[in-house]
Amino acid sequence: MNFLESLAAEWYAIQRYFVRTNIKANSRHNGGYDNEIDVLAFCPAEGKLVHLETSWDALTWEKREERYVSKKFVFTPEDYQELVGVMPAKIQKRAIIGTSRSQPKKIWGEDIEVTTVPNFVAEIAADMKQRHPMRNVIPETYPCLRSFQFALAYGDV
């Protein structure tokens, strides 16, 4: 699991989602799998399932959209039900990719939310700035988020 997958997994876990990473799916008859889900986060209280795919790739936005729509987010609600054991009330598909702050679209296909890595980091940082490490420390089981918290609190010293 790479850093971006770890960060996404921790971000959803600290928000009370149950999280699984690097899930192999759609097994081939001769072995192996056609797909792998980077992060799958489920919030039972809301019945909400979030499918996250992350990448630092340098592809064009057109190639990224083609790849993610046709190869990454190919699961039906029934496929997700098989993975989590219950039919989700809501399914969110989120691609976290690219290193620029700007992006040509916010949605791919009908329902894939697109967020760039800097914007995802900014989303996390906004929350971490509100959590002082002496009063609301991030548990040590979330090393990426805890590093963010301490860097934001003490990085300008």
Side-chain angles (χ1 to χ4, degrees):
M1 182 167 39
N2 68 40
F3 167 75
L4 192 52
E5 291 170 357
S6 296
L7 181 61
E10 288 182 23
W11 178 235
Y12 280 86
I14 203 151
Q15 295 178 74
R16 300 182 187 262
Y17 283 78
F18 287 93
V19 177
R20 288 185 56 202
T21 58
N22 302 109
I23 303 163
K24 308 286 189 231
N26 299 327
S27 61
R28 298 180 190 141
H29 295 297
N30 295 331
Y33 296 88
D34 285 330
N35 304 97
E36 179 184 345
I37 297 173
D38 287 346
V39 179
L40 200 60
F42 182 64
C43 179
E46 298 176 28
K48 181 179 178 182
L49 181 72
V50 183
H51 174 176
L52 298 123
E53 293 293 335
T54 65
S55 179
W56 299 95
D57 72 38
L59 298 174
T60 65
W61 282 103
E62 292 77 21
K63 291 281 186 191
R64 287 174 175 156
E65 182 174 5
E66 177 185 323
R67 180 174 175 232
Y68 280 73
V69 170
S70 68
K71 295 186 179 188
K72 296 285 190 177
F73 293 105
V74 295
F75 300 91
T76 66
E78 292 75 21
D79 293 331
Y80 290 121
Q81 179 181 10
E82 187 175 319
L83 289 168
V84 298
V86 65
M87 181 60 79
K90 181 179 181 192
I91 299 169
Q92 179 184 12
K93 300 173 185 177
R94 191 172 190 198
I96 302 169
I97 57 171
T99 56
S100 68
R101 284 195 181 268
S102 63
Q103 59 201 43
K105 294 182 183 179
K106 299 284 186 196
I107 300 288
W108 284 341
E110 295 179 14
D111 60 352
I112 302 168
E113 176 190 334
V114 182
T115 305
T116 63
V117 174
N119 290 331
F120 182 61
V121 168
E123 174 185 326
I124 294 169
D127 182 78
M128 291 299 112
K129 287 178 184 175
Q130 306 305 312
R131 300 176 185 240
H132 192 277
M134 298 311 291
R135 292 185 295 280
N136 190 5
V137 68
I138 299 295
E140 64 185 24
T141 53
Y142 304 116
C144 296
L145 292 179
R146 195 171 201 184
S147 298
F148 261 71
Q149 182 183 42
F150 276 74
L152 290 166
Y154 302 121
D156 62 349
V157 179

